[in-house]
Amino acid sequence: MSMTSRKILLSATALVALALSANAIVAQEGSDAASLASPKYGTWGFDATGMDLSVKPGDDFFRYANGKWADRTEIPSDRTGYGNFTKLAELSENRLHAILEDTAAGKINDPDASKVAAAYASFMDETLADRLDAKPIERELADIRAVTTKDQMTALMGKANTSGFVSILPVYISIDAKAPTRYAVTAATGGLGLPDRDYYLQPAFATQKAKYQEYVASVLGLIGWEKPAESAQAIVDFETRLAQDTWTRAQRRDRDKTYNPMTVAELNKTMPGFDWTRYLAQGDLPKVERIVVTTNTSFPKFATIYAGTPLDTLKAWQAFHLVDGAAPYLSKRFVDASFEFRNKTLAGQPEQRPRWKRAVSFVDRTIGESVGRIYVARYFPPEAKAKMDALVADIQTVLKARIERLDWMGADTRARALEKLSKFTVKIGYPAKWRDYSRLSLSKGDLYGNTIRAAAYEWHRDVARLNDPVDKTEWGMTPQTVNAYYMSTNNEVVFPAAILQPPFFDPDADPAINYGGIGGVIGHEISHGFDDQGRKSDGDGALRDWWTADDAAKFTAQAAKLGAQYSAFEPLPGAHVNGDLTMGENIGDMGGLSLGLDAYHASLRGRPAPVIEGLTGDQRVFLGWAQVWREKLRDEALRQRLVSDPHSPARYRVNGVIRNIDGWYSAFQVQPGDALYVAPADRVRIW
């Protein structure tokens, strides 16, 4: 996990927002006109050449819609997967590359142009990085070596938000789930270097765990740490003990169980040997009386493990994670070591991405809204925003109608659900107020320093507003991000500019394709407000139970049924989809496509749908949804996602959804005996 990834995990938005996709991979070099143009799909918005008509729709709809595309598509050697999300992400990357090159040449007139140029130049200067080698982290390594007590180690971990150090109990600032007009200091468990606890505990990941130990030893060897092999064994053993007492990702989804306010005094009492007062003081926090603890039962267990671990092991662990996080910003020997394990071994990526691509990602993470301001001016026409406003309104209208006619929901819950829907906030394209980076210092000759200062800037920005009202104008994604999200504490749906392009949205496409694409995406995000966790917040974003017991029981029963369906899917031999982990996204997908179909019907205003190339309007809606999820993954990456990603693999975001929608059966004449057929009584119907 890179340093930036660790810092992202600490952001409030990353922990409470439900995004459309975990995939934000990018590709294709060059900045010529063709590489900057939005893609096109066929003549009416759908690439029919990608269909495999030898497959019955009822047996494998993903293959029927996308089979020939999958056969002819090869995953580029510098990535772990490829698909239509990737295709748009590479478009964003090429556009950002052109912007950064223009900024470096002094062609951009923007208040933050010099900072953007400095960030880009710092990453592109590979010669300087090689010359500096490990020098950028020497001071932090010296601080680790100087530690002589556990209290001093606790203090180092307390600096994790403003340095390259890490903590077993990361602290961040988020919106208070039960009082969403204010911020709260929140604490979680961490300390693991592998993607998930399962990598330490499940026999299926024994090879990866062994390779991780080899990687830890090699990293320690790069900095001349004493007894690297012995230390690596001790580090992996330490992290395995932490993994045993780490909640599963499915458990960590439960918003009721992860809201546990405690005082600092209570934490100190339940965690002897871990001085929370000193720990928090190192993070430049004002005096803190209350902390929202997430996985609360793990905290005393982590304190016991910490107390029982030799100091030398903790120092080696801290040194390894410091270097592991810094590796992408150091010399080639560190970059290569990180790539070989984190990208190649864990995710199956054969080749390193070119440096300019990594530079684009770095600048986007570091000063993304300033780059986004330039991106929007160049690539996001005002009319696109207006059309999206209308589409969102369409989806909200059909969801209102669906809630009003639900046969399983009682009047009291229905009234509150409709109230919540009426209070949704919709953000489209880009923020109304851009981020102020005036306090962020970036230097073209200090790449590693830039990463630290960027992380510290974000942290101090959060700390400074801890006692202020929540900024409801803030965005959790930059405009150039190909994604979308729902945020429960703000009761808002957010659609960045970059996703508002084909295959999701094309103003020249057949409307049915748009309703299956962007309509399904809009419906997906709105449905998150009513999924198994989103439903726990009211219209003002407050975490509270507004459901009658009877209605909650009916919802839970249908959700459990859906979870069982998905848990039966086996993408790789012996590796199943986790129906509990993916529950929220699966409900979002099912609601999204259902709403997209309803909105398409409403748009016809009683007129018959046209037939295009022998395909009815309903068929084209389902094909539009399936086209969005064209994706191929390397097996290693897929295996990693199955344990760590709350989204189901792309194939099941198609096949798992359509089999529960009655309209799909009539559209494609699906009959009993077809592989995807589900009897009407067994279909899941929530929203």
Side-chain angles (χ1 to χ4, degrees):
M1 181 183 292
S2 72
M3 175 182 301
T4 304
S5 298
R6 290 205 311 268
K7 302 306 183 188
I8 287 173
L9 286 174
L10 303 182
S11 75
T13 302
L15 288 154
V16 297
L18 294 154
L20 178 69
S21 172
N23 183 18
I25 317 169
V26 288
Q28 295 304 335
E29 296 195 35
S31 57
D32 54 70
S35 71
L36 303 181
S38 295
K40 288 292 182 182
Y41 294 81
T43 57
W44 43 274
F46 181 75
D47 172 26
T49 69
M51 299 175 72
D52 184 352
L53 299 179
S54 70
V55 176
K56 287 178 63 177
D59 285 342
D60 185 346
F61 192 71
F62 180 89
R63 179 77 198 178
Y64 167 77
N66 304 322
K68 287 189 177 179
W69 172 88
D71 291 344
R72 71 185 182 223
T73 299
E74 293 186 7
I75 301 172
S77 60
D78 66 344
R79 63 177 14 90
T80 60
Y82 193 82
N84 279 340
F85 267 93
T86 325
K87 193 171 183 177
L88 275 189
E90 77 184 14
L91 173 62
S92 264
E93 180 181 65
N94 287 334
R95 289 172 169 177
L96 294 185
H97 188 212
I99 288 170
L100 295 182
E101 287 291 326
D102 285 349
T103 306
K107 298 178 181 178
I108 298 293
N109 181 20
D110 184 86
D112 292 329
S114 62
K115 292 183 179 183
V116 171
Y120 182 53
S122 71
F123 200 100
M124 290 302 294
D125 195 344
E126 188 172 15
T127 300
L128 177 59
D130 286 339
R131 187 167 73 246
L132 291 174
D133 195 42
K135 188 175 181 179
I137 58 173
E138 283 180 352
R139 186 175 66 179
E140 288 169 312
L141 285 171
D143 288 343
I144 297 170
R145 291 186 182 277
V147 167
T148 58
T149 67
K150 290 278 182 74
D151 279 347
Q152 290 174 351
M153 177 56 69
T154 303
L156 270 194
M157 289 195 295
K159 298 178 180 178
N161 289 313
T162 57
S163 69
F165 302 131
V166 297
S167 175
I168 60 171
L169 298 168
V171 172
Y172 54 96
I173 293 169
S174 64
I175 298 174
D176 191 313
K178 291 196 174 181
T181 60
R182 70 186 186 199
Y183 296 102
V185 178
T186 307
T189 53
L192 306 183
L194 283 167
D196 187 77
R197 69 191 296 273
D198 283 4
Y199 277 73
Y200 297 89
L201 307 178
Q202 298 300 325
F205 292 107
T207 299
Q208 289 90 333
K209 184 179 179 181
K211 291 288 186 181
Y212 176 56
Q213 186 170 320
E214 293 175 10
Y215 171 62
V216 175
S218 70
V219 166
L220 293 177
L222 290 176
I223 56 170
W225 199 265
E226 300 78 6
K227 301 178 180 178
E230 184 178 320
S231 294
Q233 176 72 67
I235 289 168
V236 174
D237 289 346
F238 168 60
E239 292 185 3
T240 300
R241 291 192 293 274
L242 294 179
Q244 289 168 340
D245 290 318
T246 296
W247 288 20
T248 67
R249 287 181 185 263
Q251 290 171 324
R252 299 201 300 270
R253 290 190 63 248
D254 192 322
R255 299 178 63 226
D256 293 318
K257 293 181 180 178
T258 53
Y259 187 90
N260 306 287
M262 297 179 70
T263 65
V264 174
E266 288 171 334
L267 278 169
N268 281 330
K269 184 177 180 181
T270 59
M271 300 178 65
F274 195 96
D275 186 348
W276 275 89
T277 305
R278 184 176 185 184
Y279 178 65
L280 294 171
Q282 302 305 307
D284 300 327
L285 280 164
K287 187 175 181 181
V288 176
E289 298 291 342
R290 175 181 179 273
I291 298 177
V292 176
V293 175
T294 56
T295 54
N296 59 332
T297 59
S298 294
F299 274 54
K301 296 174 183 177
F302 269 44
T304 299
I305 294 168
Y306 184 62
T309 301
L311 183 60
D312 283 347
T313 297
L314 294 174
K315 291 170 69 172
W317 169 82
Q318 187 67 254
F320 161 70
H321 281 286
L322 169 70
V323 181
D324 181 45
Y329 316 109
L330 301 178
S331 64
K332 190 174 186 299
R333 66 191 185 112
F334 291 97
V335 171
D336 288 349
S338 176
F339 168 77
E340 284 295 319
F341 177 70
R342 297 227 168 264
N343 299 80
K344 198 169 188 176
T345 298
L346 289 183
Q349 182 178 327
E351 293 182 8
Q352 175 68 280
R353 295 169 65 212
R355 194 167 185 92
W356 76 263
K357 297 183 181 183
R358 290 176 278 143
V360 167
S361 297
F362 168 72
V363 177
D364 189 34
R365 294 190 301 265
T366 302
I367 189 167
E369 283 201 16
S370 291
V371 182
R373 184 164 54 224
I374 305 167
Y375 175 93
V376 166
R378 284 192 179 186
Y379 301 113
F380 188 62
E383 55 268 24
K385 189 176 188 304
K387 290 177 180 177
M388 270 296 290
D389 284 331
L391 281 167
V392 172
D394 288 348
I395 297 296
Q396 288 177 298
T397 297
V398 296
L399 178 55
K400 180 176 182 291
R402 289 179 79 91
I403 293 173
E404 288 173 339
R405 65 174 183 263
L406 284 176
D407 57 7
W408 60 267
M409 181 175 280
D412 289 345
T413 307
R414 188 191 319 277
R416 296 189 184 103
L418 290 170
E419 179 188 17
K420 177 171 184 174
L421 179 61
S422 73
K423 291 184 174 182
F424 264 61
T425 296
V426 180
K427 296 177 179 177
I428 294 171
Y430 53 90
K433 181 176 69 176
W434 295 101
R435 181 73 61 89
D436 177 7
Y437 291 103
S438 59
R439 294 183 179 272
L440 174 59
S441 174
L442 298 171
S443 168
K444 66 179 182 180
D446 188 11
L447 173 57
Y448 179 71
N450 287 341
T451 69
I452 298 300
R453 286 188 293 275
Y457 156 79
E458 295 289 348
W459 172 248
H460 287 134
R461 178 176 177 272
D462 282 346
V463 169
R465 60 184 184 168
L466 186 55
N467 296 316
D468 294 339
V470 167
D471 181 0
K472 298 293 186 179
T473 69
E474 186 175 27
W475 278 50
M477 289 178 180
T478 60
Q480 58 271 25
T481 303
V482 183
N483 217 326
Y485 68 90
Y486 170 77
M487 193 171 187
S488 57
T489 47
N490 282 350
N491 194 29
E492 68 181 12
V493 286
V494 183
F495 304 97
I499 199 171
L500 306 180
Q501 301 175 88
F504 298 95
F505 174 63
D506 181 352
D508 299 324
D510 163 48
I513 297 299
N514 279 334
Y515 279 104
I518 197 63
V521 169
I522 295 167
H524 170 100
E525 299 306 340
I526 290 177
S527 294
H528 269 314
F530 301 96
D531 70 19
D532 65 313
Q533 299 303 316
R535 75 177 186 87
K536 295 178 179 180
S537 290
D538 63 17
D540 297 317
L543 179 62
R544 70 176 185 87
D545 189 0
W546 51 269
W547 290 63
T548 65
D550 184 53
D551 288 337
K554 291 175 182 175
F555 179 97
T556 301
Q558 285 295 304
K561 215 163 134 180
L562 186 67
Q565 284 186 9
Y566 276 82
S567 292
F569 293 134
E570 189 176 8
L572 293 170
H576 287 254
V577 174
N578 184 333
D580 293 328
L581 174 61
T582 59
M583 179 70 72
E585 299 299 333
N586 297 335
I587 292 174
D589 283 345
M590 198 166 68
L593 181 54
S594 297
L595 293 171
L597 183 64
D598 279 4
Y600 175 64
H601 290 163
S603 75
L604 295 171
R605 293 180 172 82
R607 299 185 301 270
V611 174
I612 299 177
E613 294 186 15
L615 295 166
T616 68
D618 282 15
Q619 288 176 329
R620 299 195 304 276
V621 171
F622 289 111
L623 289 171
W625 173 263
Q627 179 174 247
V628 163
W629 300 112
R630 286 183 177 178
E631 182 184 52
K632 293 181 71 170
L633 285 177
R634 300 189 191 279
D635 285 354
E636 298 91 337
L638 176 55
R639 193 174 296 278
Q640 184 177 141
R641 287 200 195 178
L642 287 172
V643 299
S644 63
D645 189 353
H647 304 83
S648 294
R651 175 179 294 274
Y652 308 107
R653 299 191 75 167
V654 176
N655 288 351
V657 173
I658 44 91
R659 65 205 306 247
N660 287 298
I661 298 177
D662 294 338
W664 174 70
Y665 289 83
S666 55
F668 290 95
Q669 301 302 307
V670 179
Q671 303 294 327
D674 291 344
L676 293 177
Y677 181 86
V678 175
D682 295 326
R683 294 172 199 166
V684 176
R685 297 178 175 89
I686 300 178
W687 304 107

